[in-house]
CSV table of all heavy atoms in Angstrom, one decimal:
chain,number,residue,atom,x,y,z
A,186,SER,N,83.1,-42.0,-114.1
A,186,SER,CA,82.2,-40.8,-114.1
A,186,SER,C,82.1,-40.4,-115.5
A,186,SER,O,81.0,-39.9,-115.9
A,186,SER,CB,82.9,-39.6,-113.3
A,186,SER,OG,82.1,-38.5,-113.5
A,187,TYR,N,83.1,-40.4,-116.4
A,187,TYR,CA,82.9,-40.1,-117.7
A,187,TYR,C,81.9,-41.1,-118.5
A,187,TYR,O,81.1,-40.8,-119.3
A,187,TYR,CB,84.3,-40.2,-118.5
A,187,TYR,CG,85.3,-39.4,-118.1
A,187,TYR,CD1,86.7,-39.7,-118.2
A,187,TYR,CD2,85.1,-38.1,-117.4
A,187,TYR,CE1,87.8,-39.0,-117.7
A,187,TYR,CE2,86.2,-37.3,-116.9
A,187,TYR,CZ,87.5,-37.9,-117.0
A,187,TYR,OH,88.5,-36.9,-116.6
A,188,TRP,N,82.0,-42.4,-118.1
A,188,TRP,CA,81.1,-43.5,-118.7
A,188,TRP,C,79.7,-43.1,-118.3
A,188,TRP,O,78.9,-43.1,-119.2
A,188,TRP,CB,81.6,-44.8,-118.1
A,188,TRP,CG,80.7,-45.9,-118.6
A,188,TRP,CD1,80.8,-46.5,-119.9
A,188,TRP,CD2,79.7,-46.5,-118.0
A,188,TRP,NE1,79.8,-47.5,-120.0
A,188,TRP,CE2,79.1,-47.5,-118.9
A,188,TRP,CE3,79.0,-46.4,-116.7
A,188,TRP,CZ2,78.0,-48.3,-118.5
A,188,TRP,CZ3,77.9,-47.2,-116.3
A,188,TRP,CH2,77.4,-48.1,-117.2
A,189,TYR,N,79.5,-42.8,-117.1
A,189,TYR,CA,78.2,-42.3,-116.6
A,189,TYR,C,77.6,-41.2,-117.5
A,189,TYR,O,76.4,-41.1,-117.9
A,189,TYR,CB,77.9,-42.2,-115.1
A,189,TYR,CG,77.9,-43.4,-114.5
A,189,TYR,CD1,78.9,-43.8,-113.4
A,189,TYR,CD2,76.9,-44.3,-114.4
A,189,TYR,CE1,79.0,-44.9,-112.8
A,189,TYR,CE2,76.8,-45.5,-113.7
A,189,TYR,CZ,77.9,-45.8,-112.9
A,189,TYR,OH,77.8,-47.0,-112.1
A,190,ASN,N,78.5,-40.3,-117.6
A,190,ASN,CA,78.1,-39.0,-118.3
A,190,ASN,C,77.7,-39.3,-119.9
A,190,ASN,O,76.7,-39.0,-120.4
A,190,ASN,CB,79.4,-38.1,-118.4
A,190,ASN,CG,79.0,-36.8,-119.1
A,190,ASN,OD1,78.1,-36.5,-119.7
A,190,ASN,ND2,80.1,-35.8,-119.1
A,191,LEU,N,78.5,-40.3,-120.5
A,191,LEU,CA,78.4,-40.6,-121.9
A,191,LEU,C,77.0,-41.5,-122.1
A,191,LEU,O,76.3,-41.4,-123.1
A,191,LEU,CB,79.6,-41.4,-122.5
A,191,LEU,CG,80.8,-40.5,-122.8
A,191,LEU,CD1,81.9,-41.4,-123.1
A,191,LEU,CD2,80.6,-39.4,-123.6
A,192,THR,N,76.6,-42.2,-121.0
A,192,THR,CA,75.6,-43.1,-121.2
A,192,THR,C,74.3,-42.5,-120.4
A,192,THR,O,73.2,-43.1,-120.6
A,192,THR,CB,75.8,-44.6,-120.5
A,192,THR,OG1,76.1,-44.2,-119.1
A,192,THR,CG2,77.1,-45.3,-121.2
A,193,GLY,N,74.5,-41.5,-120.0
A,193,GLY,CA,73.2,-40.8,-119.5
A,193,GLY,C,72.3,-40.1,-120.5
A,193,GLY,O,72.7,-40.2,-121.7
A,194,GLY,N,71.3,-39.6,-120.1
A,194,GLY,CA,70.3,-39.0,-121.0
A,194,GLY,C,70.8,-37.8,-121.8
A,194,GLY,O,70.4,-37.4,-123.0
A,195,ARG,N,71.7,-37.0,-121.1
A,195,ARG,CA,72.3,-35.8,-121.8
A,195,ARG,C,73.8,-35.6,-121.5
A,195,ARG,O,74.2,-34.9,-120.7
A,195,ARG,CB,71.5,-34.5,-121.2
A,195,ARG,CG,70.3,-34.3,-121.8
A,195,ARG,CD,69.8,-32.9,-121.4
A,195,ARG,NE,68.6,-32.7,-122.2
A,195,ARG,CZ,67.7,-31.7,-121.8
A,195,ARG,NH1,68.0,-31.0,-120.7
A,195,ARG,NH2,66.6,-31.4,-122.4
A,196,PRO,N,74.6,-36.3,-122.3
A,196,PRO,CA,76.1,-36.2,-122.2
A,196,PRO,C,76.3,-34.7,-122.3
A,196,PRO,O,75.8,-34.0,-123.2
A,196,PRO,CB,76.6,-37.0,-123.4
A,196,PRO,CG,75.6,-37.9,-123.8
A,196,PRO,CD,74.3,-37.3,-123.5
A,197,ALA,N,77.3,-34.3,-121.5
A,197,ALA,CA,77.7,-32.7,-121.4
A,197,ALA,C,79.1,-32.6,-121.0
A,197,ALA,O,79.7,-33.5,-120.3
A,197,ALA,CB,76.8,-32.1,-120.4
A,198,LEU,N,79.5,-31.4,-121.4
A,198,LEU,CA,80.8,-30.9,-120.7
A,198,LEU,C,80.3,-30.0,-119.7
A,198,LEU,O,79.3,-29.2,-120.0
A,198,LEU,CB,81.8,-30.2,-121.8
A,198,LEU,CG,82.4,-31.1,-122.8
A,198,LEU,CD1,83.3,-30.4,-123.7
A,198,LEU,CD2,83.2,-32.2,-122.1
A,199,TYR,N,81.1,-29.6,-118.7
A,199,TYR,CA,80.7,-28.8,-117.7
A,199,TYR,C,81.8,-27.7,-117.6
A,199,TYR,O,83.0,-27.9,-117.4
A,199,TYR,CB,80.6,-29.4,-116.2
A,199,TYR,CG,79.6,-30.7,-116.3
A,199,TYR,CD1,80.1,-32.0,-116.6
A,199,TYR,CD2,78.4,-30.3,-116.2
A,199,TYR,CE1,79.2,-32.9,-116.7
A,199,TYR,CE2,77.3,-31.4,-116.3
A,199,TYR,CZ,77.9,-32.8,-116.5
A,199,TYR,OH,76.9,-33.8,-116.6
A,200,VAL,N,81.2,-26.4,-117.8
A,200,VAL,CA,82.2,-25.4,-117.7
A,200,VAL,C,81.9,-24.6,-116.5
A,200,VAL,O,80.9,-24.1,-116.1
A,200,VAL,CB,81.8,-24.3,-119.0
A,200,VAL,CG1,82.7,-23.1,-118.8
A,200,VAL,CG2,81.9,-25.2,-120.2
A,201,VAL,N,83.1,-24.6,-115.6
A,201,VAL,CA,83.0,-23.8,-114.3
A,201,VAL,C,83.5,-22.4,-114.5
A,201,VAL,O,84.6,-22.2,-115.1
A,201,VAL,CB,84.0,-24.6,-113.3
A,201,VAL,CG1,84.0,-23.9,-112.0
A,201,VAL,CG2,83.6,-26.1,-113.2
A,202,CYS,N,82.6,-21.5,-114.1
A,202,CYS,CA,82.9,-20.0,-114.2
A,202,CYS,C,83.0,-19.4,-112.8
A,202,CYS,O,82.3,-19.8,-111.9
A,202,CYS,CB,82.0,-19.4,-115.2
A,202,CYS,SG,82.0,-20.0,-116.8
A,203,ARG,N,83.8,-18.4,-112.8
A,203,ARG,CA,83.7,-17.4,-111.5
A,203,ARG,C,84.2,-16.0,-111.9
A,203,ARG,O,84.8,-15.8,-113.0
A,203,ARG,CB,84.7,-18.1,-110.5
A,203,ARG,CG,86.1,-18.2,-110.7
A,203,ARG,CD,86.9,-18.7,-109.6
A,203,ARG,NE,86.7,-20.1,-109.2
A,203,ARG,CZ,87.5,-21.1,-109.2
A,203,ARG,NH1,88.8,-20.7,-109.5
A,203,ARG,NH2,87.1,-22.3,-108.9
A,204,ASP,N,83.9,-15.2,-111.0
A,204,ASP,CA,84.2,-13.8,-111.2
A,204,ASP,C,85.6,-13.6,-110.6
A,204,ASP,O,85.7,-13.6,-109.3
A,204,ASP,CB,83.2,-12.9,-110.5
A,204,ASP,CG,83.2,-11.4,-110.9
A,204,ASP,OD1,84.3,-11.0,-111.1
A,204,ASP,OD2,82.3,-10.9,-111.1
A,205,GLU,N,86.6,-13.3,-111.4
A,205,GLU,CA,88.0,-13.2,-110.8
A,205,GLU,C,88.4,-11.7,-111.1
A,205,GLU,O,88.4,-11.4,-112.4
A,205,GLU,CB,88.9,-14.2,-111.4
A,205,GLU,CG,88.6,-15.6,-110.9
A,205,GLU,CD,89.7,-16.7,-111.4
A,205,GLU,OE1,90.4,-16.3,-112.5
A,205,GLU,OE2,89.8,-17.6,-110.8
A,206,GLU,N,88.7,-10.9,-110.2
A,206,GLU,CA,89.3,-9.6,-110.4
A,206,GLU,C,88.3,-8.8,-111.2
A,206,GLU,O,88.6,-8.0,-112.1
A,206,GLU,CB,90.5,-9.7,-111.1
A,206,GLU,CG,91.7,-10.4,-110.3
A,206,GLU,CD,93.0,-10.4,-111.1
A,206,GLU,OE1,93.1,-9.8,-112.0
A,206,GLU,OE2,93.8,-11.2,-110.5
A,207,GLY,N,86.9,-8.9,-110.9
A,207,GLY,CA,85.9,-8.3,-111.7
A,207,GLY,C,85.5,-8.7,-113.1
A,207,GLY,O,84.7,-8.1,-113.8
A,208,GLU,N,86.1,-9.9,-113.4
A,208,GLU,CA,85.9,-10.4,-114.8
A,208,GLU,C,85.2,-11.8,-114.7
A,208,GLU,O,85.8,-12.7,-114.0
A,208,GLU,CB,87.2,-10.5,-115.5
A,208,GLU,CG,87.1,-11.1,-116.8
A,208,GLU,CD,86.5,-10.1,-117.9
A,208,GLU,OE1,87.0,-8.9,-117.8
A,208,GLU,OE2,85.6,-10.5,-118.6
A,209,PHE,N,84.1,-11.9,-115.2
A,209,PHE,CA,83.4,-13.3,-115.2
A,209,PHE,C,84.1,-14.1,-116.3
A,209,PHE,O,84.1,-13.7,-117.5
A,209,PHE,CB,82.0,-13.1,-115.5
A,209,PHE,CG,81.2,-14.4,-115.5
A,209,PHE,CD1,80.8,-15.0,-114.3
A,209,PHE,CD2,81.0,-15.2,-116.7
A,209,PHE,CE1,80.0,-16.1,-114.3
A,209,PHE,CE2,80.3,-16.5,-116.7
A,209,PHE,CZ,79.8,-16.8,-115.4
A,210,ARG,N,84.6,-15.3,-115.9
A,210,ARG,CA,85.5,-16.0,-116.9
A,210,ARG,C,85.3,-17.6,-116.6
A,210,ARG,O,85.1,-17.9,-115.4
A,210,ARG,CB,87.0,-15.7,-116.8
A,210,ARG,CG,87.5,-15.9,-115.4
A,210,ARG,CD,89.1,-15.6,-115.3
A,210,ARG,NE,89.2,-14.3,-115.7
A,210,ARG,CZ,90.4,-13.7,-116.1
A,210,ARG,NH1,91.4,-14.6,-116.3
A,210,ARG,NH2,90.5,-12.5,-116.4
A,211,PRO,N,85.5,-18.4,-117.7
A,211,PRO,CA,85.7,-19.8,-117.5
A,211,PRO,C,86.9,-20.2,-116.8
A,211,PRO,O,88.0,-19.5,-117.2
A,211,PRO,CB,85.5,-20.5,-118.9
A,211,PRO,CG,85.8,-19.3,-119.8
A,211,PRO,CD,85.5,-18.0,-119.1
A,212,VAL,N,87.0,-21.1,-115.8
A,212,VAL,CA,88.1,-21.5,-115.2
A,212,VAL,C,88.5,-23.0,-115.3
A,212,VAL,O,89.7,-23.4,-115.4
A,212,VAL,CB,88.4,-21.1,-113.9
A,212,VAL,CG1,88.3,-19.6,-113.7
A,212,VAL,CG2,87.2,-21.5,-113.0
A,213,VAL,N,87.5,-23.8,-115.5
A,213,VAL,CA,87.7,-25.4,-115.7
A,213,VAL,C,86.7,-25.7,-116.7
A,213,VAL,O,85.4,-25.3,-116.7
A,213,VAL,CB,87.5,-25.9,-114.3
A,213,VAL,CG1,87.4,-27.5,-114.4
A,213,VAL,CG2,88.4,-25.5,-113.2
A,214,VAL,N,87.1,-26.8,-117.6
A,214,VAL,CA,86.1,-27.4,-118.4
A,214,VAL,C,86.4,-28.9,-118.1
A,214,VAL,O,87.6,-29.4,-118.0
A,214,VAL,CB,86.5,-27.1,-119.9
A,214,VAL,CG1,85.5,-28.0,-120.7
A,214,VAL,CG2,86.3,-25.6,-120.2
A,215,THR,N,85.3,-29.6,-117.8
A,215,THR,CA,85.4,-31.1,-117.4
A,215,THR,C,84.3,-31.9,-118.0
A,215,THR,O,83.2,-31.3,-118.2
A,215,THR,CB,85.5,-31.1,-115.8
A,215,THR,OG1,85.7,-32.5,-115.5
A,215,THR,CG2,84.3,-30.6,-115.2
A,216,ALA,N,84.6,-33.2,-118.1
A,216,ALA,CA,83.5,-34.0,-118.5
A,216,ALA,C,83.1,-34.9,-117.2
A,216,ALA,O,82.2,-35.8,-117.3
A,216,ALA,CB,84.0,-35.0,-119.6
A,217,ASN,N,83.7,-34.6,-116.1
A,217,ASN,CA,83.4,-35.2,-114.8
A,217,ASN,C,82.3,-34.6,-114.0
A,217,ASN,O,82.5,-33.5,-113.4
A,217,ASN,CB,84.6,-35.4,-114.0
A,217,ASN,CG,84.6,-36.1,-112.8
A,217,ASN,OD1,83.5,-36.2,-112.2
A,217,ASN,ND2,85.7,-36.8,-112.3
A,218,HIS,N,81.1,-35.2,-114.0
A,218,HIS,CA,80.0,-34.7,-113.2
A,218,HIS,C,80.3,-34.5,-111.8
A,218,HIS,O,79.9,-33.4,-111.1
A,218,HIS,CB,78.8,-35.6,-113.5
A,218,HIS,CG,77.5,-35.1,-112.7
A,218,HIS,ND1,77.2,-35.4,-111.4
A,218,HIS,CD2,76.6,-34.2,-113.1
A,218,HIS,CE1,76.0,-34.7,-111.1
A,218,HIS,NE2,75.7,-34.0,-112.1
């Protein structure tokens, strides 16, 4: 998955966010699409 990310048109990190206890926050950072 990392290989496909790096060789694709727009390599990216993905930041997963959610609202926890009334606070919007990042919870996961991944390079896996």
